[in-house]
Amino acid sequence: MKILLHFILLIILLGACTSKTKVVTDSSQEGIPVVHSNQTYQVNVQEDIVYAEGLSHVSVNSAEASTMPLKLDVYTPDNDLTNRPVFIFIHGGGFRGGSKQQGRIIEWANYYSSKGWVFVSVDYRLMKHKGTIPQFWLERAKNVPQNRAPQFMAIYPAHRDAKAALRWVVANAETYQINTDYITVGGGSAGAITAISLGISNPEDFRDEINIEQDPTLSTTNVEQAYQIQTIVDLWGSKVALDALEQIYGHQRFDRNDPSLFIAHGTEDPTVRFSNAEDLKAIYYANDRPLAYYPLEGKRHGAWSATVNNKHLEELAFDFIVEQQGLIVE
């Protein structure tokens, strides 16, 4: 009898252990990625991956055009985890210049990838490339001051390309072990303008205004891919592109389902006025959406080195993303 009781007790204990193990396994399968508070991993970089193609016209929408490759860099943590969050970053430069390999972006890429993210830095067509522009945008450009019209027109192809890059990431999620339920988009200046638009605009915006007959390169942009952005990181950006959508198509895009938003903006910014940050804050408060808002007192444009309570911006954004996405931190 004693032997039988011991045997039954052993089975019960083994069952309890199995049950505990199953809970952990199920938690992992629920898909919550694990990131690290410290910079834990070595970072691997793949540069100049072609994510799509775009037309570059000799003049605005001219028949004479060439096809140019659109490229991005992918930074991955050197680990064997199969459930990683992703941070897609878009460079600034006023839609005139800039690069996916700007020094500060590389710093952010290494910071986040060493903590467990896949970090993607995106190039896109600039003003000089004269990307294809919808007729409605050309009509709207007539109401823009002449010296700003080329920059305004460059917004459309830049956004079209950034959305193509985002869809490429989703299409290649398995290759990089990305969990597409945990997407962050961010950028600085023009890149922040674009990131905000990616998070707020409708999927068809900056995609369906031009058809494939007008621009055959659309066939390279993974147009069938769906995505859901969870968090936006806005470094001294604005909603100017969304304002353009509202002016052109007659309805605004903000609503109560928008992604959580992190804003850092210099109060003395002469390039993208601080009032743009205040406008976004007011909209998010009105829609009762999650917001982290950091007015960088006395700072001007491009305040990468700013700190708040002795924390750098990448650290503040880390805390916000982790909180909003419910990531597991080790």
Side-chain angles (χ1 to χ4, degrees), residues 19-301:
S19 175
K20 288 181 181 178
T21 303
K22 187 174 186 298
V23 170
V24 172
T25 303
D26 285 348
S27 176
S28 174
Q29 289 174 347
E30 286 174 1
I32 303 174
V34 175
V35 296
H36 289 263
S37 57
N38 296 320
Q39 293 181 249
T40 302
Y41 303 112
Q42 294 294 316
V43 176
N44 300 318
V45 187
Q46 290 179 274
E47 296 182 349
D48 294 331
I49 300 169
V50 175
Y51 66 85
E53 295 175 340
L55 292 180
S56 176
H57 297 266
V58 173
S59 58
V60 176
N61 284 3
S62 64
E64 188 178 355
S66 58
T67 299
M68 61 179 289
L70 305 170
K71 300 178 181 180
L72 52 75
D73 298 340
V74 179
Y75 298 76
T76 54
D78 189 8
N79 62 34
D80 58 0
L81 298 180
T82 59
N83 184 25
R84 300 161 167 170
V86 63
F87 193 153
I88 301 163
F89 202 92
I90 306 159
H91 71 78
F95 301 104
R96 294 186 178 92
S99 164
K100 60 183 169 59
Q101 295 186 341
Q102 290 170 341
R104 291 292 192 173
I105 296 175
I106 292 174
E107 289 176 11
W108 276 55
N110 282 283
Y111 175 86
Y112 277 94
S113 288
S114 68
K115 288 171 176 267
W117 273 263
V118 174
F119 191 98
V120 181
S121 184
V122 178
D123 269 350
Y124 50 89
R125 283 173 293 174
L126 302 171
M127 192 167 70
K128 64 184 177 183
H129 297 127
K130 298 182 175 64
T132 311
I133 303 163
Q135 186 59 38
F136 285 137
W137 282 76
L138 291 176
E139 293 298 323
R140 178 62 190 168
K142 294 176 182 177
N143 299 321
V144 176
Q146 189 172 0
N147 65 326
R148 301 297 295 273
Q151 185 182 35
F152 173 81
M153 288 188 289
I155 289 175
Y156 182 87
H159 280 62
R160 180 268 206 186
D161 295 349
K163 282 203 169 186
L166 172 56
R167 295 193 298 268
W168 180 92
V169 168
V170 174
N172 290 274
E174 186 174 348
T175 300
Y176 296 99
Q177 305 296 338
I178 292 169
N179 186 331
T180 56
D181 290 333
Y182 297 85
I183 297 175
T184 300
V185 296
S189 193
I193 289 170
T194 308
I196 292 165
S197 298
L198 262 60
I200 303 299
S201 66
N202 299 331
E204 65 272 16
D205 294 331
F206 305 106
R207 186 192 69 186
D208 294 352
E209 297 91 345
I210 298 172
N211 61 44
I212 203 162
E213 286 75 27
Q214 295 169 298
D215 182 358
T217 65
L218 282 171
S219 64
T220 70
T221 65
N222 293 289
V223 291
E224 75 286 354
Q225 289 291 343
Y227 57 84
Q228 184 68 50
I229 293 167
Q230 300 300 324
T231 310
I232 306 167
V233 175
D234 161 25
L235 306 178
W236 38 93
S238 78
K239 61 183 180 70
V240 61
L242 295 169
D243 290 341
L245 283 179
E246 181 177 358
Q247 293 157 3
I248 292 169
Y249 301 111
H251 65 280
Q252 63 89 27
R253 299 305 198 256
F254 291 96
D255 60 37
R256 292 181 179 271
N257 297 311
D258 290 337
S260 55
L261 176 63
F262 174 98
I263 298 175
H265 205 127
T267 60
E268 301 300 322
D269 190 335
T271 305
V272 181
R273 299 289 182 183
F274 177 65
S275 58
N276 288 285
E278 294 181 307
D279 290 343
L280 282 166
K281 180 185 74 170
I283 291 169
Y284 260 66
Y285 280 178
N287 285 334
D288 194 26
R289 298 303 300 142
L291 174 72
Y293 182 67
Y294 294 102
L296 306 177
E297 294 296 334
K299 299 296 184 182
R300 296 169 67 84
H301 196 63

